[in-house]
Amino acid sequence: MIFDFLLNIMLTRLDWYILKKFFVTFIFCMLLFTVIAVAVDSSEKTDDFVKAGLETSQIITEYYFGFVPFIWGLLFPLFVFIAVIFFTSKMALQSEVIAILASGTTYQRWLRPYIIGGLVFAGVLWLANRYGIPKANEIRSNFQAKYIDNKEYNTSNSFYMRADTNTYMGVKNYDTTSKSAGNFFMERIRNGTVYYNLRADNMRWDTAKRQWLLTNAVERRIDGLKESVSMKPAMHIQLNLQPGDLRRDDYLKDKLSTPALRRFIAAEEQRGIEGLNTLKVEQYRRSATPFTVLLLTIIGAVLAGRKTRGGSGLHLAMGIGIAAVFILSDRFSTVFSIKGNLPPVLAAWIPNLVFAFVAFYLYKKAPK
């Protein structure tokens, strides 16, 4: 039984023939679009590079080492889609697809190498989305924030959040450079009633003890009608809060790996932070986009496998139209999630669900 199963999944000469064309064409498309993207981006940022006073080697290592993987991750499904349409339409134009099907090969069997290639590329993108591309985005975004945006990461002067299930705290005038703030307060609640209140004129991060140091602190402990007050010139306090948590980074969702992004979202939800749909959509999209690669592979093969008078040009036009509709639906669902009440998981997966029906319809209508 195991031997028969291995025979069924073994790649034949036909599989290798199509997969070789698939991989070679994909690499060609990726390199071609990369050169174009770098050329366009460098022309737009020439003035910024000159103002920054950086050498060419610094621009390459500190920016384009992050920009190129970012472009790959952004356009990866499009690279796969165009590659499939390009080499399959050429096969159809040369009657290779007709010859393959006329030899007794079923349509499903002809699609098998496409599905295998799509799964390989989907797996590569899934791993890259989780770990590789966030590392590249960190390089790109650090350069962008420092030299292009001409500002440090966006910071808010005031924060109010929930430190844990029964602790609420707030700070004002937080400074990311000195890691200090003024007008700190904290309250602990039990059964809907405040039983502990802490206020301080200043709060500063103690690097040695890795705790917050409060200045001119006033503690109040409330027990029914009884209240005790104590004043301390300085005191250390342990909080479920790090200095980095008080720095709002515009590029944070792109820089965190998927496990780190998941932990960050959980921590922010525990603190009662609102407006996390942007982060959640990004989390779910990292898993949805690889599935998009597989869908576009199937759609591209079915479309381009037909021999038409328009040849590759017609197939490319149809493919670009489908890709444009897909991108628009993806943008709309994202906006509805961030600005409306659409659940983030649906915002990330709705385009795939819709185009799964498109792929099935095209497959059913394809001449076999």
Side-chain angles (χ1 to χ4, degrees):
M1 183 180 296
I2 297 178
F3 181 73
D4 292 338
F5 176 74
L6 292 176
L7 283 178
N8 290 331
I9 65 173
M10 284 179 60
L11 299 179
T12 62
R13 183 175 297 180
L14 173 63
D15 296 324
W16 285 116
Y17 177 74
I18 294 178
L19 285 173
K20 181 181 177 180
K21 287 180 174 290
F22 196 173
F23 294 149
V24 171
T25 310
F26 169 79
I27 293 174
F28 172 77
C29 291
M30 184 174 67
L31 294 178
L32 177 62
F33 278 94
T34 300
V35 171
I36 296 174
V38 170
V40 173
D41 184 75
S42 61
S43 64
E44 291 181 350
K45 293 185 172 62
T46 300
D47 293 339
D48 296 315
F49 293 153
V50 173
K51 292 178 182 178
L54 298 175
E55 298 179 357
T56 303
S57 60
Q58 289 178 297
I59 295 174
I60 294 174
T61 56
E62 296 182 18
Y63 179 68
Y64 282 108
F65 276 11
F67 175 79
V68 171
F70 163 74
I71 288 295
W72 287 349
L74 183 67
L75 301 179
F76 196 94
L78 186 61
F79 294 157
V80 173
F81 193 43
I82 292 177
V84 170
I85 288 180
F86 187 77
F87 84 84
T88 305
S89 61
K90 188 175 181 180
M91 289 177 59
L93 187 63
Q94 296 173 351
S95 300
E96 292 183 57
V97 177
I98 296 176
I100 292 172
L101 297 178
S103 67
T105 303
T106 63
Y107 197 79
Q108 294 85 349
R109 178 63 184 81
W110 172 72
L111 283 177
R112 190 176 81 166
Y114 289 94
I115 296 175
I116 293 173
L119 288 173
V120 170
F121 285 122
V124 170
L125 182 59
W126 183 79
L127 289 174
N129 277 343
R130 288 177 67 87
Y131 304 105
I133 294 176
K135 289 291 185 183
N137 283 334
E138 185 174 1
I139 298 174
R140 180 185 63 88
S141 59
N142 289 341
F143 186 94
Q144 184 86 15
K146 185 175 182 180
Y147 297 107
I148 308 301
D149 297 341
N150 295 320
K151 63 181 181 179
E152 295 295 328
Y153 298 120
N154 286 341
T155 58
S156 299
N157 289 330
S158 301
F159 292 88
Y160 178 76
M161 64 184 65
R162 185 171 61 181
D164 54 45
T165 55
N166 65 339
T167 303
Y168 296 83
M169 54 163 293
V171 297
K172 289 185 178 180
N173 303 321
Y174 180 74
D175 185 359
T176 57
T177 304
S178 62
K179 299 178 182 178
S180 61
N183 299 325
F184 168 82
F185 78 91
M186 183 179 71
E187 294 178 343
R188 290 197 173 105
I189 299 175
R190 181 193 299 138
N191 298 326
T193 304
V194 176
Y195 71 93
Y196 178 82
N197 179 275
L198 174 64
R199 296 181 179 273
D201 291 341
N202 295 285
M203 179 181 75
R204 179 174 60 84
W205 178 251
D206 191 335
T207 306
K209 294 186 177 182
R210 299 190 63 80
Q211 293 181 341
W212 292 100
L213 175 62
L214 303 181
T215 305
N216 297 329
V218 179
E219 285 186 296
R220 287 183 172 85
R221 290 180 172 82
I222 304 171
D223 184 10
L225 297 178
K226 298 179 181 179
E227 179 179 356
S228 60
V229 180
S230 61
M231 304 181 65
K232 299 179 180 179
M235 66 175 291
H236 284 88
I237 184 172
Q238 183 72 41
L239 295 174
N240 182 26
L241 184 72
Q242 300 292 320
D245 297 332
L246 295 177
R247 186 179 66 180
R248 295 308 181 203
D249 188 347
D250 292 338
Y251 306 100
L252 183 63
K253 69 180 180 64
D254 300 319
K255 293 163 57 175
L256 293 178
S257 65
T258 300
L261 180 62
R262 190 181 296 112
R263 290 193 297 268
F264 180 79
I265 292 174
E268 293 293 276
E269 286 179 334
Q270 186 180 22
R271 294 180 183 129
I273 302 298
E274 298 180 352
L276 297 177
N277 276 9
T278 302
L279 300 177
K280 292 180 180 180
V281 170
E282 173 66 21
Q283 175 190 342
Y284 294 123
R285 180 174 287 120
R286 292 183 183 184
S287 298
T289 307
F291 186 72
T292 303
V293 171
L294 181 60
L295 276 180
L296 293 181
T297 300
I298 297 173
I299 292 175
V302 172
L303 281 178
R306 301 179 180 183
K307 186 176 182 179
T308 58
R309 291 184 178 181
S312 300
L314 178 61
H315 291 150
L316 284 174
M318 294 173 62
I320 291 174
I322 291 176
V325 174
F326 183 90
I327 293 172
L328 285 175
S329 63
D330 180 67
R331 294 300 94 191
F332 274 119
S333 63
T334 300
V335 171
F336 288 145
S337 177
I338 296 174
K339 303 297 183 181
N341 296 322
L342 183 65
V345 64
L346 287 180
W349 280 95
I350 277 179
N352 283 340
L353 296 176
V354 172
F355 276 81
F357 288 104
V358 174
F360 181 76
Y361 174 79
L362 294 175
Y363 169 77
K364 283 295 186 181
K365 292 295 182 180
K368 303 179 179 59

